Amino acid sequence: MWRVWGIAALLSLVVVGSFAQEVGALVVRDAAVVERVDAQGATVALLVGTLWNEGDTPVTDVVLYADLFDVDGAVVGEGFGFIVNTCGEALLDAVLFPQAQARVALKLDLLDAEAQVSSFAFYPEANPSDAVREAIPLHPAVTQVSSEEVVAVEWLSADALRYGVGCDEQLFTRHTWHSYTLSDGRDETLAAHPNAAFLTPSMISRAAINRTTQTLQDDPTHIERSFLTFAPNGTRMVWQTDIHTLFTGERDGTFRREVHRYLHQYSLKGFIWSPLNNFLAYYFGAFGDDVRYITASSDGTLISNVITANPLSRTVPSMTYDGRRVVIGATFDGVSGFYWQDARTPERELLFAFDTLQNNFPAPAYFRKNSSTRYLYFVLPDAEAGALLSCYHVEARTLHTLAPLPLRLRNDERAWSWLAPDGSTLALAAKGRSGGLWLVDLRAFDECQ
């Protein structure tokens, strides 16, 4: 969570930094002191801003120092930090190319907790880099919508969507939301997500989202880690408590239903929704970890087995519309690949073999065209292209490679995909150094029409 810190007369200065080597000029703009609630619920003060490389040489190993001054010019604190992603995680190996910008965050150390900060002075250091900006050609069926770190997409129709820029582990209200129209390419920044209107004190109180389980006292920071999400086609919402128990309820906070308890040792990473308002909740810690999951309905009914009874996946799973089958990436009987897995029994079926199974790539996107035609769209890592889009025709039991994708994921980065309601377009988003949002016109391919 980011919010302006409650101290007096904050000024945003533009300061040219000094370098470890003479490679150009780094400039910090739009600086402000904010508070951030971290994953443990602790509040830390940060100095954040935008760092520009106004020189003609790429730089790396960027470190930033800062002095904080009161209104009389006396030093009242200092800061130390790095280039960061939208979640505030340091990108120590980031390359800042000429005329490019990056987010920066500095942890602050105030000499006096009551100090009145009036201005800042930045002292960036960096080393020159011989990196070359990679120009990734786009397939004719792929259109880039944004180059920011896009972490959420909501389809409104086959021709319109909303997308959110920010940190995937933060509440949706902390994202910067845009509306985008495919037919004319119109992109507009929204003042807020429409569902933010439902986050009233009365709703939060009725749903007990901020309730501390052990003390029964309210803590306003709980909602920031609740993963509160609204069903895309209904009036229900889903969230986790302070000990990760999963609940659903009406968007006014009524008809609260427990879905699953005993989840305190697992890290929720997100939800995947079906058109029937069933959802898959998936859990993992870091890159390379196995993924645990459950499927449930928005009314609070658990569809799958409990989380410990479901076979582990090495990829983020997806599910059929009814939530009774999931697609997982795993190894059984020595064969690695993607499997249909029954959500309540040990029954499974190999779809196709695949050796490189990663939990930071998008879950397969499932589309049921009619009662006898089903497709699964896979974004798969590829050693040469970086990523490939493939389609699996379930009834024909055939896998088709459709196109290379402009996705370049490092191990600490993630990507997601979402299908348009009519299955005509796939939205692909990524966070990290090469984040963005791309749309793939699936009608451009002969297969999986």
Side-chain angles (χ1 to χ4, degrees), residues 176-194:
T176 300
W177 287 94
H178 299 249
S179 65
Y180 182 80
T181 307
L182 280 65
S183 55
D184 60 10
R186 186 172 71 254
D187 189 308
E188 297 179 350
T189 302
L190 304 178
H193 191 288

Side-chain angles (χ1 to χ4, degrees), residues 253-311:
T254 60
F255 298 101
R256 185 173 180 260
R257 299 288 184 269
E258 181 182 299
V259 179
H260 200 307
R261 61 176 63 184
Y262 307 122
L263 297 171
H264 55 277
Q265 60 185 311
Y266 307 121
S267 298
L268 179 62
K269 291 298 183 182
F271 303 103
I272 296 172
W273 291 88
S274 84
L276 302 180
N277 276 334
N278 299 316
F279 65 88
L280 182 148
Y282 58 96
Y283 299 75
F284 65 89
F287 176 80
D289 288 349
D290 288 327
V291 182
R292 294 185 181 270
Y293 55 89
I294 56 172
T295 65
S297 65
S298 61
D299 66 7
T301 302
L302 185 65
I303 298 173
S304 70
N305 280 322
V306 295
I307 197 167
T308 52
N310 294 323

Side-chain angles (χ1 to χ4, degrees), residues 199 209 242 280 371:
L199 270 67
I209 295 174
D242 62 318
L280 182 148
S371 59

Side-chain angles (χ1 to χ4, degrees), residues 2 6 23 27 80 82 97-98 112 128 160 168 315 326 346 352 393 402 442:
W2 298 95
V23 293
V27 179
F80 172 75
F82 308 92
F97 290 96
D112 181 352
D168 56 307
T315 62
V326 292
F352 61 93
H393 185 181
L402 301 183
L442 300 175

Side-chain angles (χ1 to χ4, degrees), residues 91-403:
L91 303 178
L92 303 179
D93 59 349
V95 175
L96 190 60
F97 290 96
Q99 309 310 311
Q101 60 177 303
R103 295 178 179 85
V104 293
L106 293 77
K107 189 172 182 180
L108 300 184
D109 181 15
L110 291 176
L111 302 179
D112 181 352
E114 302 300 322
Q116 302 295 299
V117 178
S118 178
S119 60
F120 327 111
F122 291 92
Y123 311 101
E125 294 183 356
N127 290 315
S129 171
D130 57 2
V132 177
R133 196 193 305 264
E134 181 182 10
I136 304 175
L138 292 181
H139 186 278
V142 180
T143 300
Q144 184 162 7
V145 174
S146 174
S147 60
E148 296 187 271
E149 292 187 67
V150 176
V151 297
V153 169
E154 299 173 355
W155 284 98
L156 307 178
S157 68
D159 188 50
L161 57 80
R162 276 192 296 263
Y163 70 91
V165 176
C167 174
D168 56 307
E169 298 187 3
Q170 289 181 337
L171 194 63
F172 72 94
T173 55
R174 307 303 173 195
H175 301 162
T176 300
W177 287 94
H178 299 249
S179 65
Y180 182 80
T181 307
L182 280 65
S183 55
D184 60 10
R186 186 172 71 254
D187 189 308
E188 297 179 350
T189 302
L190 304 178
H193 191 288
N195 286 336
F198 296 112
L199 270 67
T200 63
S202 59
M203 182 278 278
I204 295 171
S205 177
R206 280 193 294 266
I209 295 174
N210 280 331
R211 187 73 46 80
T212 302
T213 303
Q214 289 186 329
T215 66
L216 300 183
Q217 300 298 311
D218 279 358
D219 181 338
T221 67
H222 287 339
I223 194 172
E224 301 296 338
R225 303 181 299 283
S226 68
F227 277 85
L228 178 66
T229 303
F230 290 80
N233 301 307
T235 62
R236 302 285 289 180
M237 59 184 183
V238 59
W239 71 94
Q240 69 174 6
T241 68
D242 62 318
I243 59 171
H244 298 183
T245 301
L246 204 63
F247 279 89
T248 69
E250 288 294 318
R251 59 193 180 193
D252 64 357
T254 60
F255 298 101
R256 185 173 180 260
R257 299 288 184 269
E258 181 182 299
V259 179
H260 200 307
R261 61 176 63 184
Y262 307 122
L263 297 171
H264 55 277
Q265 60 185 311
Y266 307 121
S267 298
L268 179 62
K269 291 298 183 182
F271 303 103
I272 296 172
W273 291 88
S274 84
L276 302 180
N277 276 334
N278 299 316
F279 65 88
L280 182 148
Y282 58 96
Y283 299 75
F284 65 89
F287 176 80
D289 288 349
D290 288 327
V291 182
R292 294 185 181 270
Y293 55 89
I294 56 172
T295 65
S297 65
S298 61
D299 66 7
T301 302
L302 185 65
I303 298 173
S304 70
N305 280 322
V306 295
I307 197 167
T308 52
N310 294 323
L312 298 175
S313 178
R314 286 156 56 196
T315 62
V316 176
S318 64
M319 66 175 182
T320 55
Y321 293 165
D322 61 9
R324 296 183 180 275
R325 274 190 168 189
V326 292
V327 181
I328 64 173
T331 302
F332 297 107
D333 300 324
V335 179
S336 296
F338 289 93
Y339 289 81
W340 277 125
Q341 174 66 54
D342 190 278
R344 296 195 63 86
T345 75
E347 180 183 350
R348 69 180 63 94
E349 175 187 352
L350 177 67
L351 297 175
F352 61 93
F354 193 77
D355 289 333
T356 307
L357 302 172
Q358 298 179 192
N359 65 8
N360 61 338
F361 268 66
Y366 174 78
F367 181 70
R368 186 178 66 196
K369 184 176 180 180
N370 50 50
S371 59
S372 60
T373 307
R374 295 169 296 170
Y375 302 132
L376 284 161
Y377 293 94
F378 291 86
V379 177
L380 301 173
D382 181 80
E384 295 184 3
L388 291 174
L389 176 63
S390 297
C391 175
Y392 185 82
H393 185 181
V394 176
E395 281 68 31
R397 302 176 66 86
T398 54
L399 181 68
H400 305 278
T401 299
L402 301 183

